[in-house]
Amino acid sequence: MFVINCPHCQEAREEEEFHYEGEAFIARPAAPEAETDEAWGDYLFMKKNPKGWHWEMWSHASACRKIFVVKRNTANHTIAGSWTLSEARKAYDKEQSDAEMTKA
Amino acid sequence: MSNLELNLSQFSPVMQSPLYHFGLAAKQEPMNEGKGVWANEIALLSYICLRGDSNNAAFTKAAKKILGETLPTLPCSLIGTPWGNIYWFSPDEWLIVCPREKRAELQHALQAVLVGVHSQVVDNSGGYTSIILQGKHADNVLQHCTVYNLHSLTENKVVGTTFGKSSVFLHRRNDGQNSAYVLIFRRSFADYIWRYLERAATPYGFGISTL
Amino acid sequence: MRINNLRIEHKHSRVDTTKPLNFTFDGKPYIGYQGDTLASALLANNVKVMARSFKYGRPRGIVGAWAEEPNCLVQIDVGAKTTPDLKATQVELYEGLVAGRTSGWPSLTFDLKSVGGHFSRFMPAGFYYKTFKWPAKFWPMYEHIIRQAAGYGTSPIVADSETYDHKHHHADVLVVGGGAAGLLAAQLAGRSGASVILLDDQSEMGGYLLSTPNTTIGGKSAIEWRDSVIAELKSLPNVSLFTRTTAFGLHDMNMIQAVELLQDHLPHSARQAKQRRERMHRIRATKVVLATGAFERPLVFGNNDVPGVMTVSALTTYFNRYGVACGNHALILTSNDGAYQAVVDLAAGGIKVTLADVRDNINPAWEARLEALGITIYTGFGISEVLGSTAVTGARLSKLNPNDPKEAIAQGVKPRVINQIAIECDVIASSGGLSPTVHLFCHDGGRPTWSDESLAFVVSANGRTNAGIYCVGAVTGVFGLQAGLEKTAETTQEMLSSLGKNSKNQAVNLTTDEIAPSPAQAIFHIPTDKKAFVDFQNDVAVTDIQLAVRENFKSIEHIKRYTALGFGTDQGKLSNVNGFAIAAEALGKSIPEVGTTTYRPAYTPVSFGALAGAHVRETFEPRRYSAMQSAHEKRNAEYETVGNWMRPWYFPKNGEDMHAAVNRECLAARNGVAMLDASTLGKIDIQGKDVREFLNRVYSNAWSQLAPGKCRYGLMLNEAGMVMDDGVTACITDTHFLMTTTTGGAANVLNWLEKWHQTEWPELEVYMTSVTDHWATAALVGPKSREVLAKLCSDIDLSKDAFKFMDWRDGTVAGVPARVCRISFSGELAYEINVDASYGNYVWQELLSAGAELDITPYGTETMHVLRAEKGFIIVGQETDGSVTPLDLDMAWAVGMKKPYSFLGKRSLTRSDTARSDRKQLVGLLTDDPTFVLKEGAQLINSANITPPVHMLGHVTSSYYSAFLGRSIAMGFVIDGIKRRDNDNAIFAYADGKAVAVKIVSSVFVDAEGARHNV
Amino acid sequence: MKKDYSIWTLLSQGLKNHVGWQPTWRSPELKSSYDVVIIGAGGHGLATAYYLAKEHGVKNIAVLEKGFLGGGNTARNTTIVRSNYLWDEAAMLYEHSLKLWEGLTEDINYNVMFSQRGVFNLGHTLQDMRDIERRVNANNLNGIDALALNAQDVKDRIPMINISKNTRFPIMGASYQPRAGVARHDAVAWGFARAASNYGVDIIENCEVTAMDIENGQMRGLQTNKGFIKTARVGCVTAGHSSVIAKMAGIKMPIESHPLQAFVSESLKPILDTVVMSNAVHGYVSQSDKGELVIGAGIDHYTSYTQRGSPHIIEHTAAAIIELFPMFSRVRMNRQWGGIVDTTPDACPIISKTKVAGLYFNCGWGTGGFKATPGSGNVFAHTIAHDAPHPLNAAFSLDRFHTGHLIDEHGAAGVAH
C-alpha cells in the first residue's frame, strides 16, 4: 500500500486517496482520420506495461482532483517521484533523450 | 434512512439541511465530561466554488477586490475573510463558506467582477454541509474514519481525504481551549457519514453538542 | 510448593492462584487460575490428549506455548460467539470459558481416523493424486468422504453479534515485539522524543523474559528490569503501548496491519456491547523495528508426536511463567546450550530431569552446574523412539555415533559400552536451536539468509534500512541476551540518528549472568525406523519429504505443496526449517541452496471481522439519498440502487404489487400529471470561453449553434466509439453550460472530462464543477403538468410558445428560486424543476399539494423506464453494454461527422468491424400475444427450433407491459435489425426454455411525431 | 512409458515403503535444438506441450520455465472452473475446456480432483438480473448448462447465504451452472507435466529466456540462461509476463499486468458445498477439500509484477464475504497472496499468431485463466502445429484490437473469474 506525494497538495498521502489513471504520455493522434486502423488500434489498446520503471498517471480523487504523474517501479513498488503533468513531461522527455544518447 | 419523524401536514421548516432527518437539534446538550466525543451539524451555510488560475493576475486581483483578501495559494491552506473562510481545494479551486444571507451578494459580486476573466463561480450551497467534531476523543474517532495523518493537520490547514468509503474536506478549528474538527462534505453522503461517525464514536461515548 | 500434583507456586509465576476460574473442555469441567492460558490450565489438570491428527488420527498434545502450537486447535464459546481453530496456547482463561475439541470423531479417546491410521503406509504425501480415479463416476463419493474427514473447527452458523473497527496511525517508530530487545528499543526511541508505538501480541509485555525469571540484566532480575522499562515507557507521552496486539502484515512503505484483541479474554459478564471485539490498527511508520524474537525448533525423532513431547522453551514457560509442571520426570534432548537453564530451573523446582545432549563435548561450565545438582547427562545421544501412545511413558536413547565394542577390546580395555538406553519419563522436551520469526520482514519482498553460526535463517540487524526496516534481538540470529541487548542499543541508535534524533543519557547497564555458550550442533532429525513427524498439523513425516524428492519435487515450493509442509494454521513455525533441512539432506544440497518458501501475511490468523472493520451492514458502502428522501419514505417507496443512490423504484398503494403500481403511475403520467425525483442525475457546471468547443469534442453531436435558454440531448462515446453516457445539457450563456449525466455515470463522466482537459486539452479555457448535490430536481410530467406548475410559478410565462420544448427558464416555484427546463424523458409535456437541494423536500411537497386535486402521482424508476421505452428512448447501461455505437442504436442523428475536431470515439466508428452495416442494431419488438411480456435478457433467434447450438441474432434489452397501449412492448438488438424492421417474417425470443414469435418494429411505440410534448 | 498410477501401484509401493516411485516428470538436460519450444511451464504451457505431443505428433518439444513449474498463476488462483460466458466465442472456448476437464483425470492418469459442485454468479441489481437472464439464455442456446435463479432459489441451495433486502447489495438472484466447480490447481500442473514428460517432452526448470533470435520476420531460436536453443516455433504462455516476452520480439501487447489477491481461511468442517461469486461486492468463495474457505478479491488498479497488492483490497473482500455470509465474521484468514494477471481491454484472451513467423502467444487470460487450462492448451497446440488457429480460437487473435471486433465480456461477466 503506497504513500504517494501529490505535487499539487504538496503532501505525501495514503494510496486510498488516489485513483490509478494508467500509463502516462499516450498522446492522442493529431489527425485520427489520417491513422490506419492498425495505428489507431495501437493508440487505443497497446500498453508498455514494463517490468521496472513505469511512468503512470494518478488522480488525487479525494482531494484536489488533479491528475499527475508518478514514476514507479512495477518490479518492487519503489517510487522515484511524482510531478505535475507539465513538469513530468519535461522529466520524461529528458529521460527519453538521454536514453537515445546512450544508445547512440 | 429510517428513524425519521416528519409531520408533513404542517411541513416546516422550509429549508432542510442534509442531516435534518436525524433530528439533531432536539438531541443536543451542553458538552460535559460524561462523553468523549461531541458532534453536531453546522447546517445551512452557503458554499461557493471559485475556480481560476492563481497565476493569472487578472483573476487574483479581481477576486481580491471582492473578497478583501488574496486567495490562499499555499496548498491545503485556508484564510478567514469578512465573508467567511476561504479554503484552498486545488491550485485552481477554492471553496468559500459564508452565511446564507451573504450568498447572493457574494456570488453576484464575484460573477460581475470576473466577467471576461477565465474563471468559474458556482453556488453549491445545497450540495454541501458541515459537521463539527470536538471532545477529548475527537482525534481517536477521526483515526477510525480517515487515513489522513492527523498529526500534520495544523490549524489553518484544510485537506481533502477519505472518510470511510466516502471523502470529506477536513480542518481543525480553534475554539479557545478545545480545538474542534470541521468536516465539509457532499449532501447525498450525509446519511452515510453521520452513521459511520456515530458508529466510530460509540465506544468513546457520543453526544450531540449545542452549537 | 505444590498446590496440586502439577501446579507449582513460585514467586515468578504470572498466575494468580488466589483467583480460581471454572472452565470446561470437551464437555468436562476444570479449574484454572487468572493468568492461565487454556493450554496451561489443561496441562495443570493433567489433560494430555487434546487433539487427533489430521490424516492418521494419532493422539496429540501440547507442543508449544504460543503461536507456534501446531496441534491443539480448539473451538471457543458457543452460538453467535463461537470461534473455530483458536490455539489453546493463545486462549486466555476466563471464568465460564467453554472450549471444545476440533478433531477426534466420535471422541478424543477414540478417533475413527486412527483406524485408517494403521494403513498410513498406504497414505504417503500426495497419495490422492495417484488414486480415487477409478471408476471415474465414483470420484464425487470419494471426494465426499475426503471432505467429511477434513476440517478442524466449525464455522458459526448465526451472524456475529460483536463488532470490529479499524484505526489509522502514523508514527516515527514502530517497534514490533515487547520482549527484551523490543522493550529496550522502545525505551531508547522513547527517550529520543520520537513518536513511538510498541506492539506485543501477548497479554503482557516481556516475551521470553517472563519464562526465564532467573536471569539478571544490569543487576536486576529479568522481571524487575522489564517492570522498570515498562514503567518508564508508560511515563512517556510520545510512546503508546499495545498488548494483545499482533502485527500480522507488513506492506509496502512500512504499512503494518495489527489486530488488537479487546474482549475475548474477558468473561461474558465483563464484555461491553459498545466496545469492539477486535480492532485492526493500520500503522504507517517512518521506521519499523522488528523485535519479533524466535521460536524454538524441536528435534525430529521417532514417535515424536506422542502427547507429552514438547519444546524446551514451552516446558520452561509452563513451569516458570504459569507454574505448571508438565510431568514429574522430564527427559530433555538438546543440540545447544539453550536448554541448560531450563534443566536448572526445573531441577530447582523439584522436577526429576534427565538430559541428553547430541553433542559429544558439552559446555564444561554447564556440566559443572548440572553435576552439582546431580543430573545425569547423556552426551552424544539422541532419542530414537518415544514410548507410549496417548501419553509419554519413556524413550529409547541411542548413541548417534555408536562405540564399537571390538575396538575397545582390541585396545585391551573393557569399557562399559552403552549405545542404547531406555529411560522412563512422563514428559519429553527437545531443542534443536532457534528459528527467528522473520515473517514480517519477508512480507513485502524481504528474504532471510542462512547463518551457519546461528544455524538458522536470520535477517541482518540493519534489515532493510533503505526501506526503514531495522531488526533487533533473536530475529537477527543473536541468541545471547546480553549480546542481543547490546546490539539492540547500537541498532536503535543508528535508526534514531537516521531520523535525525538521538537518545539522551544512554547509561543503560545491559550485563547479564549468562554462561558463555559453546557451539551448537547442526542436527535436525535423529535416525529412526518409527514415524518421525516434521509438521504435526499436516501429518508430514520425514519419509514424506524424502518421497517428494524421490518423485522429483525438488523446489522447496514443490515440496511444500506436495507434502503440505507448513500449510497449516501454525504456518510451519515449528516445522518449516526442519523441513527445509531434511529436504536439503535428501536433495544432497546445502540448506541455503534449498532456501525457504515465501512468507505471506497473516503472521497469525486474523478474523474476517477485523479485516472488514466498520465496513459491514449499513456502513458497508455509502448509500446516497436525495433531498426528497423523507417524502419517499412517507409514501412507502420500494427502492432500486443505482450506483450508490437509493432511488424510489415504485410507490405501492394499499397493497399493490409492482405491476399494479407501475400501471397506475404510467397512466397518471400519460393522462394526468405525475412526478419523478430526478435529483440523482449527475450535473456538471461548465464555464469558460471554450465550452462549446469542449462539448463538441466530448459529445458525438454538435454544440456550436445551441442558443442560451435552450437545452439539447448529448451522446458521449468512449475513445473506442462505444456509447458511455448521455444526458441533456443546457446553454446558460455562451460561456456557461450545465451538463447532466446518467445517475450511475456521474463520477466517471466528470473524471473523464477532467482527464481529457488536464492531459490533452489544457489550452481550452473551461472549468468544471459537480453540482449534482446542489440541485434537487422534480420532473413534473403529463398533460396537466403545466396546470400544476402554473399554481406555484407566476414569474415564468408557461405558454406553449413562450416556453417551448427544450427551453429552460429561471424563475421561482413555490417562492423558491428555480431553474425550470421543459424537457421530457417520457414524451409528455413535462417540466424539470431544479432548486437548491435545501428546498428540495419543500418544493416537492408543495408540488404534491398543488397537484393533489389533479391526483398528482409520484412515480419511480420502473415507471420512468416504461415511459421512455414507449418512446424508444435508450437507457445507457441497459440498451448499451460497452459494445454499442450510436449507429447500432439508430442514433446517427446524434453523430456530427462534420464537426472540425475529431470528437472522442469518432475515428473508431470507421474501423473495419465497427463500420459494418450488418451489426446488431436496436429495434422495437412486439409479441403476437399483447399480454405476454418478454423476459429482459431473452435471446433472439431465427426459428422456433431451440436445439443447441442455436445461432443468436441479439437479445431483448427492455421489455414492459404498457398500460397506456394496453399491450406489451420491448426493445432489443437484432443483427441487421434496422433493415428488417416491419417486414413480416417473425423472429423468436428465447427464455425459460421457450421460443416466442416476435415482430421487429420501430422502437417508437407512442407518438412518433412528437405531438404529445408539443402542447 | 512408465507404470500408471492406481490403487494397486499405491498398495504395492506402500509395502515397499514407496522407494520405487519414479520422478513425476523427467528433468533432462537442455538440448541445443527443438521443433517447438513453449515458454512458461504453467498449466497452460504444459497442457500445450502435452496436446502437441499427443494430438499433433510433435516429437521434439521443450517447455522452459524460469522458476519452478506451476509456480505462477497456476499455483495462485482460486481454482474455479466454469463455462457460462456470454459471447459465443468465449462460451465455446470455455465449454471446450470444461468438457476436457470432465475427462482430464483419466486422460492424464493424475487425479486433478475436479469437483463439479456448481457455481453461482450472484445478481444484486435489476441490471445484474437482466445480464444474468441474457447470459443464461445464451448459454442454453449454446448447449451450456445454466439456470437463472431468484433469491429464494439461491437461499434454498445455499442455506448460509444472506438474502435480506436490507443489505447494501441485496441478492436478487443468480445464474447457476451445475457442471462448474473447482479443481486441485497444483495437481493440474503436475499431472500435465507428468503426462507430457511421458510423451518425451523436455521440461526445463530454472531456464529463463533472455532474448529472441528473429531473422527477417522468422523465429530462429532463443537465448536462455542455459544457452542458445535453435527452434523455428515458439509458443509464449507467460501470463503476467507476456508483455516482457513480447518486447523481446518487438511486439506490442494490449495487456496490463495487475496484482490479483486471494486468501484462505483456517480449515473448517464442511460448511459450503458450492462456489459463490459476486462481482458487485467483489468477492468469491468456495471451500477446499482441506476445509479452507478459498476467497478471491478484485484486482488492484495499478500495474505490478511483485505478486503482492494493497491490503485494503483484501479488507474490502473480507467485508464483501461477510455481507454475503454474516456468520463468517469470526472465521479467520490464515494466509493471503497475490498473482500477476494479464488483463486485456475486452476481458478475453489472446491466442494468436504474431507478425513474427513461428512466434505464437497465448495470454491475456486476466483473472479467468485456470478454468481454461486444458482447452487453452488444446487449441494453442493446434494453432502452433498448423500455423493456423483452431476454429475455437480464431476470434481471439491480436488483430481484433485493430478491426474493433472485440469480444466484450465486461458487459456481462465483469471480473471474469
mmCIF file of all heavy atoms in Angstrom, chain C residues 197-225:
data_model
loop_
_atom_site.group_PDB
_atom_site.id
_atom_site.type_symbol
_atom_site.label_atom_id
_atom_site.label_comp_id
_atom_site.label_asym_id
_atom_site.label_seq_id
_atom_site.Cartn_x
_atom_site.Cartn_y
_atom_site.Cartn_z
ATOM 1 N N ILE C 197 5.379 3.640 18.762
ATOM 2 C CA ILE C 197 4.331 2.660 19.068
ATOM 3 C C ILE C 197 5.015 1.321 19.302
ATOM 4 O O ILE C 197 5.872 0.911 18.531
ATOM 5 C CB ILE C 197 3.322 2.535 17.912
ATOM 6 C CG1 ILE C 197 2.573 3.861 17.718
ATOM 7 C CG2 ILE C 197 2.342 1.402 18.179
ATOM 8 C CD1 ILE C 197 1.630 3.856 16.526
ATOM 9 N N LEU C 198 4.669 0.687 20.432
ATOM 10 C CA LEU C 198 5.223 -0.628 20.761
ATOM 11 C C LEU C 198 4.087 -1.644 20.823
ATOM 12 O O LEU C 198 3.103 -1.427 21.540
ATOM 13 C CB LEU C 198 5.960 -0.581 22.105
ATOM 14 C CG LEU C 198 6.405 -1.925 22.704
ATOM 15 C CD1 LEU C 198 7.387 -2.640 21.788
ATOM 16 C CD2 LEU C 198 7.030 -1.724 24.089
ATOM 17 N N LEU C 199 4.207 -2.697 20.025
ATOM 18 C CA LEU C 199 3.180 -3.735 19.992
ATOM 19 C C LEU C 199 3.698 -5.033 20.581
ATOM 20 O O LEU C 199 4.841 -5.399 20.364
ATOM 21 C CB LEU C 199 2.770 -4.041 18.542
ATOM 22 C CG LEU C 199 2.343 -2.932 17.612
ATOM 23 C CD1 LEU C 199 2.000 -3.529 16.253
ATOM 24 C CD2 LEU C 199 1.172 -2.166 18.186
ATOM 25 N N ASP C 200 2.839 -5.721 21.318
ATOM 26 C CA ASP C 200 3.163 -7.089 21.698
ATOM 27 C C ASP C 200 1.907 -7.931 21.617
ATOM 28 O O ASP C 200 0.813 -7.463 21.926
ATOM 29 C CB ASP C 200 3.737 -7.164 23.105
ATOM 30 C CG ASP C 200 4.298 -8.551 23.406
ATOM 31 O OD1 ASP C 200 5.440 -8.826 22.980
ATOM 32 O OD2 ASP C 200 3.575 -9.371 24.013
ATOM 33 N N ASP C 201 2.062 -9.168 21.191
ATOM 34 C CA ASP C 201 0.870 -9.977 20.925
ATOM 35 C C ASP C 201 0.352 -10.687 22.173
ATOM 36 O O ASP C 201 -0.730 -11.256 22.148
ATOM 37 C CB ASP C 201 1.137 -10.983 19.783
ATOM 38 C CG ASP C 201 2.341 -11.872 20.054
ATOM 39 O OD1 ASP C 201 3.035 -11.659 21.084
ATOM 40 O OD2 ASP C 201 2.594 -12.783 19.250
ATOM 41 N N GLN C 202 1.108 -10.656 23.271
ATOM 42 C CA GLN C 202 0.651 -11.384 24.455
ATOM 43 C C GLN C 202 -0.080 -10.457 25.432
ATOM 44 O O GLN C 202 -0.171 -9.262 25.232
ATOM 45 C CB GLN C 202 1.844 -12.062 25.135
ATOM 46 C CG GLN C 202 2.557 -13.013 24.170
ATOM 47 C CD GLN C 202 3.308 -14.114 24.865
ATOM 48 O OE1 GLN C 202 3.105 -14.390 26.045
ATOM 49 N NE2 GLN C 202 4.180 -14.771 24.121
ATOM 50 N N SER C 203 -0.577 -11.053 26.506
ATOM 51 C CA SER C 203 -1.390 -10.279 27.447
ATOM 52 C C SER C 203 -0.529 -9.321 28.256
ATOM 53 O O SER C 203 -1.016 -8.358 28.813
ATOM 54 C CB SER C 203 -2.122 -11.227 28.402
ATOM 55 O OG SER C 203 -1.162 -12.025 29.077
ATOM 56 N N GLU C 204 0.759 -9.601 28.344
ATOM 57 C CA GLU C 204 1.664 -8.655 28.995
ATOM 58 C C GLU C 204 3.011 -8.654 28.268
ATOM 59 O O GLU C 204 3.403 -9.640 27.668
ATOM 60 C CB GLU C 204 1.838 -8.979 30.486
ATOM 61 C CG GLU C 204 2.194 -10.422 30.777
ATOM 62 C CD GLU C 204 2.324 -10.679 32.278
ATOM 63 O OE1 GLU C 204 2.426 -9.706 33.047
ATOM 64 O OE2 GLU C 204 2.347 -11.853 32.666
ATOM 65 N N MET C 205 3.690 -7.502 28.348
ATOM 66 C CA MET C 205 4.981 -7.366 27.694
ATOM 67 C C MET C 205 6.017 -8.206 28.434
ATOM 68 O O MET C 205 5.840 -8.551 29.600
ATOM 69 C CB MET C 205 5.418 -5.897 27.716
ATOM 70 C CG MET C 205 4.450 -4.944 27.044
ATOM 71 S SD MET C 205 5.014 -4.536 25.398
ATOM 72 C CE MET C 205 3.643 -3.533 24.824
ATOM 73 N N GLY C 206 7.114 -8.477 27.750
ATOM 74 C CA GLY C 206 8.213 -9.171 28.415
ATOM 75 C C GLY C 206 8.746 -10.343 27.601
ATOM 76 O O GLY C 206 9.908 -10.721 27.722
ATOM 77 N N GLY C 207 7.870 -10.908 26.776
ATOM 78 C CA GLY C 207 8.342 -12.001 25.930
ATOM 79 C C GLY C 207 8.958 -13.120 26.739
ATOM 80 O O GLY C 207 8.421 -13.507 27.790
ATOM 81 N N TYR C 208 10.117 -13.590 26.300
ATOM 82 C CA TYR C 208 10.706 -14.777 26.925
ATOM 83 C C TYR C 208 11.283 -14.474 28.307
ATOM 84 O O TYR C 208 11.537 -15.378 29.096
ATOM 85 C CB TYR C 208 11.765 -15.402 26.013
ATOM 86 C CG TYR C 208 12.028 -16.863 26.352
ATOM 87 C CD1 TYR C 208 10.989 -17.798 26.276
ATOM 88 C CD2 TYR C 208 13.276 -17.307 26.744
ATOM 89 C CE1 TYR C 208 11.206 -19.132 26.604
ATOM 90 C CE2 TYR C 208 13.506 -18.651 27.061
ATOM 91 C CZ TYR C 208 12.460 -19.552 26.989
ATOM 92 O OH TYR C 208 12.674 -20.876 27.310
ATOM 93 N N LEU C 209 11.429 -13.162 28.625
ATOM 94 C CA LEU C 209 11.887 -12.833 29.982
ATOM 95 C C LEU C 209 10.934 -13.419 31.015
ATOM 96 O O LEU C 209 11.335 -13.831 32.101
ATOM 97 C CB LEU C 209 11.960 -11.311 30.162
ATOM 98 C CG LEU C 209 13.020 -10.562 29.345
ATOM 99 C CD1 LEU C 209 12.943 -9.070 29.637
ATOM 100 C CD2 LEU C 209 14.412 -11.102 29.635
ATOM 101 N N LEU C 210 9.657 -13.471 30.671
ATOM 102 C CA LEU C 210 8.662 -13.988 31.614
ATOM 103 C C LEU C 210 8.872 -15.479 31.863
ATOM 104 O O LEU C 210 8.413 -16.028 32.862
ATOM 105 C CB LEU C 210 7.246 -13.742 31.083
ATOM 106 C CG LEU C 210 6.859 -12.281 30.850
ATOM 107 C CD1 LEU C 210 5.532 -12.188 30.120
ATOM 108 C CD2 LEU C 210 6.807 -11.532 32.171
ATOM 109 N N SER C 211 9.595 -16.130 30.943
ATOM 110 C CA SER C 211 9.827 -17.575 31.090
ATOM 111 C C SER C 211 11.193 -17.872 31.714
ATOM 112 O O SER C 211 11.483 -19.008 32.068
ATOM 113 C CB SER C 211 9.731 -18.262 29.717
ATOM 114 O OG SER C 211 8.482 -18.010 29.140
ATOM 115 N N THR C 212 12.039 -16.843 31.760
ATOM 116 C CA THR C 212 13.387 -17.042 32.343
ATOM 117 C C THR C 212 13.640 -16.007 33.437
ATOM 118 O O THR C 212 14.532 -15.164 33.317
ATOM 119 C CB THR C 212 14.471 -16.888 31.265
ATOM 120 O OG1 THR C 212 14.301 -15.595 30.662
ATOM 121 C CG2 THR C 212 14.365 -17.949 30.205
ATOM 122 N N PRO C 213 12.848 -16.046 34.485
ATOM 123 C CA PRO C 213 12.932 -15.017 35.531
ATOM 124 C C PRO C 213 14.252 -15.051 36.294
ATOM 125 O O PRO C 213 14.613 -14.078 36.951
ATOM 126 C CB PRO C 213 11.759 -15.364 36.447
ATOM 127 C CG PRO C 213 11.535 -16.823 36.247
ATOM 128 C CD PRO C 213 11.888 -17.103 34.826
ATOM 129 N N ASN C 214 14.998 -16.158 36.167
ATOM 130 C CA ASN C 214 16.198 -16.295 36.997
ATOM 131 C C ASN C 214 17.432 -15.643 36.399
ATOM 132 O O ASN C 214 18.465 -15.550 37.051
ATOM 133 C CB ASN C 214 16.457 -17.771 37.269
ATOM 134 C CG ASN C 214 15.284 -18.392 38.004
ATOM 135 O OD1 ASN C 214 14.692 -17.756 38.874
ATOM 136 N ND2 ASN C 214 14.894 -19.594 37.607
ATOM 137 N N THR C 215 17.326 -15.189 35.136
ATOM 138 C CA THR C 215 18.477 -14.458 34.591
ATOM 139 C C THR C 215 18.418 -13.015 35.095
ATOM 140 O O THR C 215 17.370 -12.532 35.523
ATOM 141 C CB THR C 215 18.439 -14.445 33.048
ATOM 142 O OG1 THR C 215 17.124 -14.074 32.638
ATOM 143 C CG2 THR C 215 18.778 -15.799 32.489
ATOM 144 N N THR C 216 19.546 -12.331 35.052
ATOM 145 C CA THR C 216 19.577 -10.943 35.517
ATOM 146 C C THR C 216 20.088 -10.043 34.397
ATOM 147 O O THR C 216 20.890 -10.455 33.563
ATOM 148 C CB THR C 216 20.537 -10.782 36.728
ATOM 149 O OG1 THR C 216 21.873 -11.076 36.258
ATOM 150 C CG2 THR C 216 20.160 -11.725 37.849
ATOM 151 N N ILE C 217 19.565 -8.808 34.387
ATOM 152 C CA ILE C 217 20.032 -7.780 33.457
ATOM 153 C C ILE C 217 20.444 -6.564 34.272
ATOM 154 O O ILE C 217 19.644 -6.057 35.063
ATOM 155 C CB ILE C 217 18.920 -7.385 32.464
ATOM 156 C CG1 ILE C 217 18.401 -8.618 31.708
ATOM 157 C CG2 ILE C 217 19.425 -6.319 31.501
ATOM 158 C CD1 ILE C 217 17.176 -8.358 30.873
ATOM 159 N N GLY C 218 21.671 -6.138 34.084
ATOM 160 C CA GLY C 218 22.139 -4.962 34.810
ATOM 161 C C GLY C 218 21.919 -5.086 36.316
ATOM 162 O O GLY C 218 21.489 -4.135 36.964
ATOM 163 N N GLY C 219 22.103 -6.303 36.807
ATOM 164 C CA GLY C 219 21.998 -6.500 38.247
ATOM 165 C C GLY C 219 20.570 -6.743 38.724
ATOM 166 O O GLY C 219 20.339 -7.270 39.802
ATOM 167 N N LYS C 220 19.593 -6.381 37.900
ATOM 168 C CA LYS C 220 18.191 -6.650 38.291
ATOM 169 C C LYS C 220 17.772 -8.026 37.765
ATOM 170 O O LYS C 220 18.339 -8.516 36.785
ATOM 171 C CB LYS C 220 17.266 -5.605 37.665
ATOM 172 C CG LYS C 220 17.507 -4.186 38.113
ATOM 173 C CD LYS C 220 16.540 -3.266 37.376
ATOM 174 C CE LYS C 220 16.771 -1.812 37.736
ATOM 175 N NZ LYS C 220 16.300 -0.900 36.691
ATOM 176 N N SER C 221 16.765 -8.600 38.407
ATOM 177 C CA SER C 221 16.212 -9.812 37.827
ATOM 178 C C SER C 221 15.493 -9.425 36.543
ATOM 179 O O SER C 221 15.056 -8.281 36.390
ATOM 180 C CB SER C 221 15.205 -10.464 38.780
ATOM 181 O OG SER C 221 13.921 -9.903 38.574
ATOM 182 N N ALA C 222 15.384 -10.378 35.647
ATOM 183 C CA ALA C 222 14.773 -10.104 34.339
ATOM 184 C C ALA C 222 13.421 -9.406 34.525
ATOM 185 O O ALA C 222 13.098 -8.451 33.826
ATOM 186 C CB ALA C 222 14.598 -11.403 33.567
ATOM 187 N N ILE C 223 12.657 -9.881 35.515
ATOM 188 C CA ILE C 223 11.314 -9.324 35.725
ATOM 189 C C ILE C 223 11.406 -7.882 36.209
ATOM 190 O O ILE C 223 10.720 -6.983 35.706
ATOM 191 C CB ILE C 223 10.540 -10.184 36.745
ATOM 192 C CG1 ILE C 223 10.394 -11.616 36.233
ATOM 193 C CG2 ILE C 223 9.171 -9.564 37.011
ATOM 194 C CD1 ILE C 223 9.576 -11.774 34.979
ATOM 195 N N GLU C 224 12.307 -7.622 37.163
ATOM 196 C CA GLU C 224 12.458 -6.244 37.663
ATOM 197 C C GLU C 224 12.869 -5.308 36.529
ATOM 198 O O GLU C 224 12.342 -4.216 36.374
ATOM 199 C CB GLU C 224 13.509 -6.196 38.781
ATOM 200 C CG GLU C 224 13.064 -6.878 40.058
ATOM 201 C CD GLU C 224 14.251 -7.212 40.970
ATOM 202 O OE1 GLU C 224 15.414 -6.933 40.565
ATOM 203 O OE2 GLU C 224 14.011 -7.762 42.049
ATOM 204 N N TRP C 225 13.815 -5.779 35.725
ATOM 205 C CA TRP C 225 14.282 -4.948 34.594
ATOM 206 C C TRP C 225 13.107 -4.617 33.672
ATOM 207 O O TRP C 225 12.855 -3.475 33.343
ATOM 208 C CB TRP C 225 15.373 -5.677 33.821
ATOM 209 C CG TRP C 225 15.924 -4.876 32.675
ATOM 210 C CD1 TRP C 225 16.914 -3.931 32.737
ATOM 211 C CD2 TRP C 225 15.512 -4.936 31.302
ATOM 212 N NE1 TRP C 225 17.141 -3.396 31.495
ATOM 213 C CE2 TRP C 225 16.298 -3.993 30.594
ATOM 214 C CE3 TRP C 225 14.567 -5.695 30.600
ATOM 215 C CZ2 TRP C 225 16.159 -3.794 29.214
ATOM 216 C CZ3 TRP C 225 14.438 -5.495 29.234
ATOM 217 C CH2 TRP C 225 15.228 -4.544 28.555
#
